[in-house]
Amino acid sequence: MSLSATQPDDFFEGREKLLEVWFRVPSQHVILGAKHPSARVGLRQIARDDVERMLALVKCTILGVMSNDYIDSYVLSESSLFISPYRLILKTCGQTTLLAALPLIIQLAADVGLPEVEELFYSRHAFMEPTKQLYPHESFSQEVSYMQDRFQRGHSMELGDKDDSWFLYTLDRPLQLAAPDQTLELMMHDLDPTAMAPFYKADLAAADVTQQTGIVDIIPKANIHEFLFEPCGYSCNALIEDSYYTIHITPQPEFSYVSFETDYPTDCYKGIIKRVLAIFKPGRFSVSLFANDAAVCGTAQDALNDHVFKGYTRQDEAVQQLHHYTLKFGHYLRDKDTASNGSDDQKYSN
């Protein structure tokens, strides 16, 4: 099963499961979270065969790989994988069984000299069709139980409207990075059909779609690899030195969904968010931001004020303090008399 459904009118669960695992560094001379250029160390030593074995447990495959001095990036049949020396990020959609790979991830890390998990973040939106999910993702309580069996001490929360919740599980450990760490995620629904039209397989190549839709301009100078699915759907991963962004698109109007995620260390998200909303024109979206003490954007609540989301009205929000991180989550609804136009005056501002 690819990112898109096998037929344009078949249901596909675009809302992803997202796992981020940090491993304790083996040396006091290595700073967790700092840049490690040309460092084929830590998790980046995991062999391709072992990565494929891990993804087989998730029920997805590799479509493309791109690497730079800092990160190995994988575009998957169902979303994305990013591997840095001491951090692994796995994001999968559809009926994937992401957490089923967690024991092997921990074992593979131990095999390359990283036996201790420093912190873990697992999050997801409420599924559109939860009854279609497989073990251990049939409910959030089942997911929490699965992780608690392996880590004993963790902390779970449910944020947002009960009918459209966002779930988070962490080990609740004081992960303290000397470097900035901030991750923005936009989860968009009710996408404009005209904006979704380029993401149906036609005559354009995937790279042409990236250029013509403006995805290439979201964060300038990114190296991008992308995939356009048959008959519809699109995924891309982008690398900017030791940062990334990733986009996944399910364009069918009955269950349209687009996600955008990045850890790019900007001091202001207004330009990035404006460009994303201008490209996809969602009727509604959810947003989350994690920011640590060193984040260049400041605290999550300060970075995501309502002025950032021009043309949309906040429906609810939640702010949490997680040791050395702040977290903000909220739902936004498009104003009836306003349209995001993505004008060029902020095209290259962060």
Side-chain angles (χ1 to χ4, degrees):
M1 172 75 72
S2 69
L3 177 67
S4 82
T6 54
Q7 297 295 329
D9 57 350
D10 289 344
F11 174 76
F12 184 79
E13 184 67 70
R15 291 181 171 185
E16 300 103 341
K17 313 162 183 84
L18 175 59
L19 177 69
E20 179 173 328
V21 189
W22 288 87
F23 290 88
R24 183 165 298 176
V25 298
S27 169
Q28 62 180 350
H29 302 295
V30 177
I31 300 174
L32 189 62
K35 292 185 178 183
H36 301 287
S38 303
R40 184 60 60 176
V41 298
L43 300 174
R44 298 186 75 188
Q45 298 176 88
I46 297 174
R48 169 69 178 259
D49 287 349
D50 287 329
V51 172
E52 291 177 346
R53 186 158 58 99
M54 174 184 73
L55 295 173
L57 296 173
V58 180
K59 304 186 189 306
C60 62
T61 58
I62 297 170
L63 300 178
V65 184
M66 178 175 69
S67 296
N68 65 11
D69 287 342
Y70 306 94
I71 305 174
D72 299 319
S73 164
Y74 299 80
V75 172
L76 307 178
S77 56
E78 280 84 4
S79 302
S80 296
L81 168 67
F82 296 95
I83 299 179
S84 305
Y86 306 107
R87 180 183 68 175
L88 182 146
I89 298 171
L90 180 57
K91 185 172 193 171
T92 66
C93 55
Q95 292 178 296
T96 49
T97 51
L98 182 152
L99 289 177
L102 185 56
L104 182 57
I105 291 171
I106 294 170
Q107 181 58 56
L108 293 173
D111 291 345
V112 295
L114 301 174
E116 295 185 64
V117 173
E118 185 80 17
E119 179 59 290
L120 175 149
F121 301 92
Y122 173 76
S123 64
R124 66 168 176 85
H125 221 300
F127 296 123
M128 289 182 270
E129 294 284 352
T131 60
K132 296 183 183 295
Q133 294 298 311
L134 306 175
Y135 178 84
H137 298 284
E138 294 167 312
S139 68
F140 185 56
S141 60
Q142 186 181 76
E143 293 167 323
V144 170
S145 178
Y146 187 88
M147 290 182 282
Q148 290 285 68
D149 286 346
R150 286 147 183 83
F151 296 107
Q152 285 75 53
R153 294 183 61 186
H155 180 68
S156 62
M157 63 181 72
E158 178 180 352
L159 303 178
D161 189 290
K162 284 287 184 182
D163 295 327
D164 200 18
S165 300
W166 184 75
F167 302 101
L168 173 68
Y169 176 90
T170 79
L171 297 186
D172 202 24
R173 295 175 180 173
L175 175 63
Q176 187 170 9
L177 304 181
D181 185 33
Q182 52 194 76
T183 301
L184 172 76
E185 187 175 18
L186 289 166
M187 297 155 277
M188 295 167 273
H189 298 84
D190 300 337
L191 288 308
D192 183 278
T194 302
M196 292 295 96
F199 306 106
Y200 286 79
K201 186 82 170 180
D203 296 331
L204 289 179
D208 295 328
V209 172
T210 301
Q211 289 283 339
Q212 294 190 17
T213 57
I215 288 172
V216 69
D217 296 319
I218 292 175
I219 300 178
K221 299 182 180 179
N223 292 317
I224 303 173
H225 63 137
E226 59 274 283
F227 193 91
L228 191 60
F229 291 87
E230 179 73 42
C232 60
Y234 170 95
S235 285
C236 80
N237 288 350
L239 299 180
I240 317 99
E241 293 191 343
D242 61 335
S243 300
Y244 70 89
Y245 73 79
T246 183
I247 297 173
H248 303 286
I249 301 173
T250 301
Q252 297 94 316
E254 297 83 3
F255 41 86
S256 63
Y257 176 80
V258 175
S259 67
F260 170 83
E261 177 189 339
T262 185
D263 70 343
Y264 183 68
T266 180
D267 61 354
C268 177
Y269 283 106
K270 186 175 181 180
I272 291 174
I273 290 172
K274 179 179 179 180
R275 293 190 284 275
V276 171
L277 296 179
I279 292 168
F280 301 116
K281 299 178 174 61
R284 58 189 173 94
F285 64 88
S286 303
V287 59
S288 68
L289 176 63
F290 286 90
N292 74 348
D293 294 342
V296 297
C297 67
T299 65
Q301 54 266 44
D302 290 339
L304 290 187
N305 60 67
D306 288 345
H307 297 295
V308 173
F309 304 105
K310 185 178 180 181
Y312 291 82
T313 299
R314 175 169 45 84
Q315 304 301 296
D316 60 60
E317 71 173 9
V319 177
Q320 297 284 329
Q321 182 71 44
L322 304 171
H323 292 292
H324 298 286
Y325 282 79
T326 54
L327 162 66
K328 186 172 183 177
F329 174 83
H331 288 105
Y332 287 79
L333 185 67
R334 188 171 183 168
D335 298 338
K336 291 182 180 180
D337 59 348
T338 306
S340 296
N341 56 29
S343 61
D344 286 340
D345 60 343
Q346 296 228 11
K347 190 172 183 181
Y348 295 109
S349 67
N350 287 331

